[in-house]
Amino acid sequence: MKKSGILNAQLIGCIAALGHKDLFMIGDAGMPIPKGVPIVDLVLCGGVPTFRQVMDAILEETVVEGYTIADEIQEKNPELLAYIQEKLAGAEEERIPHTELKAMSANVKFAVRTGEFTPYPNIILRAGVAFPA
């Protein structure tokens, strides 16, 4: 039995299957996920788990070389934007309108739904490469 890190079998399986440049998404409880995109639904209730809790756990398991977020996050959720930029310092950032982010989500390998209820906590991540030490 796995004893640390992500223990959710579906989520860790999705992460393990990522290849270089694959896209995947972390979204809030209300983010519409396009038909056909596998969903790892972690929502328990409003606010549980938070976007930050899920993002922190995923970043412990995954190399991210770039990400895409909605333009609207700067005005509507600057605190979360600062957290994202701190956690993904060094990764390439792209901002697009939220409507385009929703359309782009049709191209992700999987989507993780959190219990987050704050504005615009949706991100599409691009997998990087882990080089052995």
Side-chain angles (χ1 to χ4, degrees), residues 36-70:
V37 172
I39 301 170
V40 178
D41 197 338
L42 302 179
V43 178
L44 181 60
C45 58
V48 179
T50 67
F51 176 89
R52 290 176 193 221
Q53 289 171 322
V54 173
M55 180 87 146
D56 286 347
I58 287 174
L59 292 178
E60 287 294 318
E61 304 276 353
T62 313
V63 176
V64 173
E65 68 180 23
Y67 63 97
T68 305
I69 53 178

Side-chain angles (χ1 to χ4, degrees), residues 18-33:
L18 285 170
H20 187 211
K21 305 278 185 193
D22 282 344
L23 301 176
F24 63 105
M25 182 170 73
I26 303 171
D28 63 19
M31 181 68 172
I33 309 299

Side-chain angles (χ1 to χ4, degrees), residues 96-131:
I96 59 178
H98 185 62
T99 54
E100 289 181 27
L101 187 78
K102 288 193 286 190
M104 184 181 179
S105 70
N107 300 316
V108 301
K109 195 164 184 178
F110 65 92
V112 181
R113 192 182 323 245
T114 71
E116 190 69 41
F117 274 19
T118 64
Y120 302 99
N122 305 297
I123 187 169
I124 294 176
L125 301 158
R126 187 174 69 241
V129 175
F131 294 104

Side-chain angles (χ1 to χ4, degrees), residues 51-93:
F51 176 89
R52 290 176 193 221
Q53 289 171 322
V54 173
M55 180 87 146
D56 286 347
I58 287 174
L59 292 178
E60 287 294 318
E61 304 276 353
T62 313
V63 176
V64 173
E65 68 180 23
Y67 63 97
T68 305
I69 53 178
D71 285 325
E72 293 87 345
I73 195 171
Q74 183 158 352
E75 180 184 335
K76 302 291 186 182
N77 203 340
E79 185 180 302
L80 189 63
L81 174 60
Y83 159 81
I84 290 168
Q85 290 174 326
E86 178 186 325
K87 285 294 186 177
L88 294 171
E92 180 184 331
E93 178 185 292

